[in-house]
Amino acid sequence: MDKLTVLEAIRDLAAAGELSESEVVAAARNGAGASGAAADDRRNRYSRVLFFIGGGVICIGIVALIGQVWNDLGPVMHVVVTLGSGLAAYTVGVLFSWSGKAGAAGPAFFLVAALVLPLGIVVAMDEAGLDPEKLGLQSLTAVVLLGVFLGTYLLFRNVSLLVYVIGYGIWAFFAITEFMAGPSPRFDQETFIEYRILAVGLTLMFLAWAFAGTRREILTAPLYALGSLAFLGSALALGGWKPNQNMLWELAFPGLVFAVVYLSVHVRSMLLLVIGSLFFGGYLAKITGEYFSDSLGWPVALILLGFMLMGVGYLTFRLKQTYLKA
C-alpha cells in the first residue's frame, strides 16, 4: 500500500468521525519511537560486539606482554602481572556493571577476568611452591572460580556471565571426578572420560531446554549444539570397534539418535536435527565397515551405505518440511 492510499484512507476515516487528530499523531509518534528503538538496539548490539572483541584483544595483549618481560620479572611481579591483572579486570567489571552506565563494558572486563584469573592462580601457586597440576588444587581453583562467577551472575543477572559459570562448572566436574577416581582407577581411563563427556552433554542439553523462552534463550542454540555433539559423540565412542565393541551401546545408539531427533522436532531446532542425522549417518558407516565389509565385500558395503545415507537425508528433509518449516 503506497503513501497516497494510506493518506486517503486516513482522510476518509477522519471525515466519518472514526479517527481523531490525536490518534493519528500518537500513531505516528509510536511508529517513530519503534524505529528509533530498533536503531538503538542495533547500535547497542554493535557496541557489545566491539566491547567483547576489545576484551579478547586485551587478553592477547596481556599474554604477549607477560611473555616478553617474564624473565626480567621477579616472583612477586609474576603474581602481580597475572593474578593482579585478572583481579583488576574483575573489579572494573563489577564497578561498570554496578553503575549501569557503561553498556557492555562490564561484561567485557568480566571476559578478561575469566580468561586471566586461572592463569594468575596457577602462577601464584607455582611461585608459592605448590604444584598446580595436582588434581586437588585444580579442583579447588575451579570451584573457587565457579563460585565467584556464579555469585556475580546472581548479583547482576548478565547472561554472558553464565558462559563462564558453565565453563568453570565443566572444569570443576572433570577435576573433582578425576581427583575422586585417584591415580589408578579400577576402570579404563578412556571409558571414564567418555562417560563424563556423556554426562556433560546431557547437562548442557537440559540447560538449553531450561533456558528456552527466558531472557537466557540466546544460549539455547549453542548449548543444544555442544550438548548433542558431546552426548552423541561419547555414546558413539562408547560403542567401541570390533572385536572390542560394546554391544549394549551399539544397540542403544540408534535409540539415542532418534531421541535427539524427536527433541529437535519438539523444540523446533534445525541444528539438533542436522546433528542427529549426521551422527546416524556416521553410525551407519561404522556398522557397515565393522560387520558387513568382510561378508559382502567392501564395494557392496559402500553401495549399501550410500543408499542408507540417502535414506537418512530424505528423512531429514521430510522432518524439516513437515515439522520445522517456519
Side-chain angles (χ1 to χ4, degrees):
M1 183 180 295
D2 58 27
K3 184 167 64 174
L4 292 177
T5 305
V6 173
L7 291 174
E8 185 67 29
I10 292 174
R11 282 195 294 268
D12 292 341
L13 290 172
E18 298 179 7
L19 188 64
S20 66
E21 180 181 354
S22 61
E23 289 175 332
V24 175
V25 173
R29 287 177 178 173
N30 289 337
S35 61
D40 289 341
D41 184 65
R42 286 194 296 271
R43 284 193 291 270
N44 291 336
R45 187 161 56 246
Y46 295 147
S47 67
R48 284 195 295 269
V49 171
L50 291 175
F51 271 126
F52 279 102
I53 292 176
V57 172
I58 289 174
C59 291
I60 296 173
I62 291 174
V63 173
L65 178 63
I66 291 173
Q68 287 182 351
V69 302
W70 187 259
N71 294 330
D72 300 327
L73 301 176
V76 175
M77 288 305 298
H78 286 168
V79 177
V80 170
V81 298
T82 53
L83 184 59
S85 298
L87 291 174
Y90 178 81
T91 303
V92 173
V94 169
L95 293 175
F96 278 155
S97 298
W98 196 274
S99 67
K101 297 179 180 179
F109 277 97
F110 284 136
L111 170 64
V112 177
L115 295 176
V116 177
L117 278 176
L119 174 63
I121 293 175
V122 167
V123 171
M125 287 181 179
D126 185 63
E127 296 296 346
L130 302 174
D131 183 6
E133 294 185 1
K134 286 187 175 181
L135 291 173
L137 292 177
Q138 285 192 33
S139 302
L140 178 62
T141 302
V143 169
V144 168
L145 291 172
L146 171 63
V148 168
F149 279 92
L150 179 59
T152 309
Y153 168 74
L154 294 176
L155 180 62
F156 297 113
R157 297 291 179 176
N158 189 286
V159 176
S160 64
L161 290 168
L162 277 178
V163 177
Y164 317 135
V165 172
I166 293 171
Y168 286 132
I170 293 173
W171 180 16
F173 170 71
F174 275 94
I176 292 172
T177 51
E178 190 79 18
F179 176 72
M180 293 175 63
S184 301
R186 302 176 186 177
F187 37 80
D188 181 67
Q189 183 69 16
E190 184 177 342
T191 303
F192 183 42
I193 293 174
E194 291 165 354
Y195 273 111
R196 288 184 291 169
I197 295 175
L198 185 80
V200 168
L202 274 174
T203 303
L204 294 179
M205 293 174 71
F206 174 77
L207 288 175
W209 175 80
F211 291 166
T214 69
R215 58 189 301 269
R216 298 162 290 183
E217 192 169 17
I218 189 174
L219 299 178
T220 298
L223 288 175
Y224 271 136
L226 293 175
S228 59
L229 287 172
F231 176 67
L232 292 178
S234 57
L236 186 63
L238 283 168
W241 188 268
K242 191 178 180 181
N244 300 315
Q245 73 271 35
N246 186 314
M247 292 300 298
L248 175 63
W249 280 105
E250 283 197 337
L251 293 174
F253 189 79
L256 299 178
V257 171
F258 287 132
V260 170
V261 171
Y262 173 78
L263 178 63
S264 73
V265 173
H266 180 69
V267 301
R268 301 184 65 83
S269 171
M270 184 61 193
L271 186 60
L272 273 181
L273 177 60
V274 170
I275 291 174
S277 301
L278 289 176
F279 268 100
F280 190 60
Y283 171 78
L284 291 177
K286 174 182 179 292
I287 294 299
T288 303
E290 197 172 11
Y291 293 103
F292 299 112
S293 60
D294 294 334
S295 59
L296 297 177
W298 189 238
V300 177
L302 288 177
I303 294 172
L304 179 62
L305 174 62
F307 277 112
M308 288 190 292
L309 291 177
M310 290 173 66
V312 173
Y314 177 76
L315 177 62
T316 303
F317 172 77
R318 292 300 301 169
L319 286 174
K320 177 181 180 296
Q321 291 296 108
T322 305
Y323 298 104
L324 302 182
K325 192 174 182 180

